[in-house]
Amino acid sequence: MTINIQHVLGAFLGGRSLNLRILREIYGVRFIEQMPRPDALLHCMRRDGAGPAPLRLNCDNAITPYTLLSGMWQPEEFAFVQRVTAAMPAFTLVDVGANVGLFSRQCRARLPNCRRGFAYEPDLANFDLLQFNLSPFPQTDCQAVALSDMDGDAPYFLDPENSGNYSLNPAAMPAEHGTGTIRCVDARREAFRWIVDGKPIFYKSDTQGFDEKIATRLPDEVWPWVAAGIFEVWQIRKPDYPVDGLRRILDLFPNKCFLTAPEALVSTDHVIAVMTGDQGEVRDLGFWR
């Protein structure tokens, strides 16, 4: 009997929610390990050169099915980073809300000028996978903390179906969600570590409605080093932050676009209007000098 791979993929996709739930809740599977194919964005070699490096994913119903089948994650974000950093001899990647490291891994694997990385992920289960997935790359600083406006412990909220939707912001959660406690560090102090080696920064923030608060907490001395970046914009209730401070940050970047329409530049006023909306929409904002 000949098995058509498309039939296999169709069967997996059609029953993925049930299949993964069975693996997770009945058999106790917590993560899935994959060897991405050589042409996949998430493919890379082990640091010692002894063959390709495996990838570990949570056994969830959101990130894992797509990544297993495609070998990549949010390719529009990678394409944006590749485009706006192409002329830089070297840059540092700052990944705030790094989850299991898929965004950082694609950049480090496919962009030779991405020389150093900082990755922040407060959920300890995600952090273990983050460290594993970024282990092939030298000069990678992974921290099991959330960036915030203070040091210390804080309540944390977890989406049971989507391991990429964990946040300090309860408004990002479904009605049925988990809770926990994570460690926070003050972003104002932490950010000075990013500029020690004098390289331009690509700043990516994906924290489910906490991005604006973190960005406006960063010191004025750091923003001139940020050459480009991505904010994930959630139109939900958010903690208080200085809107005028955010406006000043956005004005530093003459080029801004939402990644769904990367050729259409938008103004700071338009971005502020989207960021302060409450319609529940999620968009990725790219900005560069």
Side-chain angles (χ1 to χ4, degrees), residues 45-116:
M45 302 300 291
R46 297 176 186 268
R47 191 184 298 195
D48 61 7
L55 177 75
R56 286 183 183 170
L57 301 164
N58 282 300
C59 187
D60 78 348
N61 290 326
I63 294 174
T64 296
Y66 176 86
T67 305
L68 281 175
L69 294 176
S70 68
M72 59 185 174
W73 181 247
Q74 296 183 314
E76 71 284 353
E77 289 190 349
F78 173 77
F80 175 77
V81 182
Q82 185 177 42
R83 176 164 63 91
V84 300
T85 63
M88 300 179 191
F91 71 94
T92 293
L93 176 65
V94 175
D95 190 353
V96 182
N99 194 252
V100 300
L102 302 183
F103 175 83
S104 283
R105 178 161 165 148
Q106 290 181 157
C107 293
R108 298 300 303 274
R110 296 298 176 179
L111 303 177
N113 55 342
C114 186
R115 302 287 179 79
R116 187 175 185 185

Side-chain angles (χ1 to χ4, degrees), residues 28 31 122 129 188 191 205 240:
F31 65 83
L129 301 186
R188 186 183 299 279
S205 179
D240 291 336

Side-chain angles (χ1 to χ4, degrees), residues 17-240:
S17 180
L18 177 60
N19 293 337
L20 291 168
R21 186 181 293 275
I22 289 171
L23 288 175
R24 185 172 64 246
E25 298 183 9
I26 297 179
Y27 293 102
V29 175
R30 291 292 173 259
F31 65 83
I32 295 173
E33 189 167 302
Q34 177 197 32
M35 196 70 74
R37 61 183 185 272
D39 63 338
L41 285 180
L42 286 164
H43 172 83
C44 65
M45 302 300 291
R46 297 176 186 268
R47 191 184 298 195
D48 61 7
L55 177 75
R56 286 183 183 170
L57 301 164
N58 282 300
C59 187
D60 78 348
N61 290 326
I63 294 174
T64 296
Y66 176 86
T67 305
L68 281 175
L69 294 176
S70 68
M72 59 185 174
W73 181 247
Q74 296 183 314
E76 71 284 353
E77 289 190 349
F78 173 77
F80 175 77
V81 182
Q82 185 177 42
R83 176 164 63 91
V84 300
T85 63
M88 300 179 191
F91 71 94
T92 293
L93 176 65
V94 175
D95 190 353
V96 182
N99 194 252
V100 300
L102 302 183
F103 175 83
S104 283
R105 178 161 165 148
Q106 290 181 157
C107 293
R108 298 300 303 274
R110 296 298 176 179
L111 303 177
N113 55 342
C114 186
R115 302 287 179 79
R116 187 175 185 185
F118 292 86
Y120 300 91
E121 173 53 48
D123 180 80
L124 295 182
N126 279 347
F127 182 74
D128 285 345
L129 301 186
L130 168 74
Q131 285 191 303
F132 181 88
N133 290 332
L134 297 186
S135 62
F137 309 107
Q139 295 192 15
T140 299
D141 189 324
C142 300
Q143 298 286 328
V145 299
L147 297 189
S148 186
D149 58 350
M150 57 91 176
D151 293 310
D153 293 341
Y156 192 49
F157 306 94
L158 305 94
D159 184 335
E161 295 294 331
N162 182 356
S163 63
N165 187 26
Y166 294 177
S167 179
L168 290 165
N169 186 0
M173 296 298 114
E176 298 293 327
H177 61 267
T179 59
T181 302
I182 49 90
R183 187 165 70 91
C184 297
V185 298
D186 191 338
R188 186 183 299 279
R189 184 186 67 256
E190 181 67 17
F192 283 108
R193 301 178 60 232
W194 308 339
I195 62 176
V196 169
D197 61 1
K199 292 185 178 67
I201 292 169
F202 187 97
Y203 176 84
K204 172 261 188 181
S205 179
D206 178 353
T207 63
Q208 279 79 353
F210 224 74
D211 307 83
E212 295 89 341
K213 189 175 185 69
I214 296 169
T216 53
R217 182 67 179 171
L218 300 180
D220 292 341
E221 296 90 334
V222 169
W223 279 110
W225 290 95
V226 177
I230 295 172
F231 289 139
E232 186 177 65
V233 179
W234 283 59
Q235 293 186 317
I236 55 176
R237 296 189 311 277
K238 298 170 185 174
D240 291 336

